[in-house]
Structures are given as structure tokens and as C-alpha cells.
Amino acid sequence: MKVAGRLSALAVFCALSVSTGVVFAQAKMPQGEFVCQVKDADGETRFVGIQASDMDRAREIAQGKSKWAVPAGRELVECINPNTQTFKSRSAQKQYREDVR
């Protein structure tokens, strides 16, 4: 009886392990990496790294139009792909290089 009880407990454990792995599988993360310059409500300018599928989606997130948005009260200044673009403002690009990289 003890052996049968242990085997059935083991079978239940294995079944739960397999089904839990399926339930907790995560969605694939978007591969695009963007940096958005935002202005906080207090007037401070900051850079926010955003992982999104494309530039439009990154802008939506930075503007707070997504459930994965940056905190409310931030104003979007500009978004770039840091691998291929630079900020239009020289001072913003300099600040980004100094602060982020």
C-alpha cells in the first residue's frame, strides 16, 4: 500500500509538473530595443529603454497609451533605435551617451 501511494503521488507530481510548465510558458519578448527621451512632470528629462516590436509601439508605450507604459505624467520628446539612430538634439545625444552608455 505504501509503495502504491508513493507511486500515485509521484504520478500526480509528474502530471502537475508537465501541465505547470505549459501554463507558465511565457510569450516571446519583442526583439526591438528603443530609447525614448521623456520629460517628467517635474520638468526633468530622462531616457527610458523600451523593448517593443517596432518604433510606433515604442512611442505608444512611452506616451502611456499601453498597459506596459512608462509612468503617467511623462511627455514624449523623441524615440530612437540606438543601434542605427541618434537623437536630433545634440545636447540630448551627448546626455544619452554620458548617462546611459
Side-chain angles (χ1 to χ4, degrees):
M1 182 68 177
K2 287 185 179 184
V3 174
R6 288 183 184 160
L7 288 177
S8 64
L10 180 62
V12 169
F13 174 75
C14 290
L16 287 175
S17 296
V18 170
S19 65
T20 302
V22 173
V23 171
F24 290 116
Q26 294 182 355
K28 185 177 177 184
M29 293 295 292
Q31 296 304 304
E33 295 179 8
F34 303 92
V35 176
C36 295
Q37 181 184 20
V38 295
K39 189 176 285 189
D40 281 338
D42 64 2
E44 285 290 319
T45 299
R46 305 199 191 292
F47 296 96
V48 179
I50 297 176
Q51 193 168 354
S53 54
D54 57 42
M55 181 70 75
D56 290 334
R57 183 77 175 129
R59 287 186 185 116
E60 286 177 4
I61 293 168
Q63 291 173 328
K65 297 179 180 177
S66 167
K67 74 176 191 177
W68 306 112
V70 297
R74 286 188 172 173
E75 173 189 336
L76 174 64
V77 178
E78 182 180 9
C79 287
I80 64 165
N81 177 333
N83 298 321
T84 60
Q85 298 173 309
T86 59
F87 287 99
K88 292 176 185 168
S89 162
R90 285 185 185 185
S91 62
Q93 185 63 31
K94 181 181 178 190
Q95 183 182 0
Y96 171 69
R97 276 196 214 122
E98 291 171 356
D99 293 352
V100 180
R101 298 221 170 185

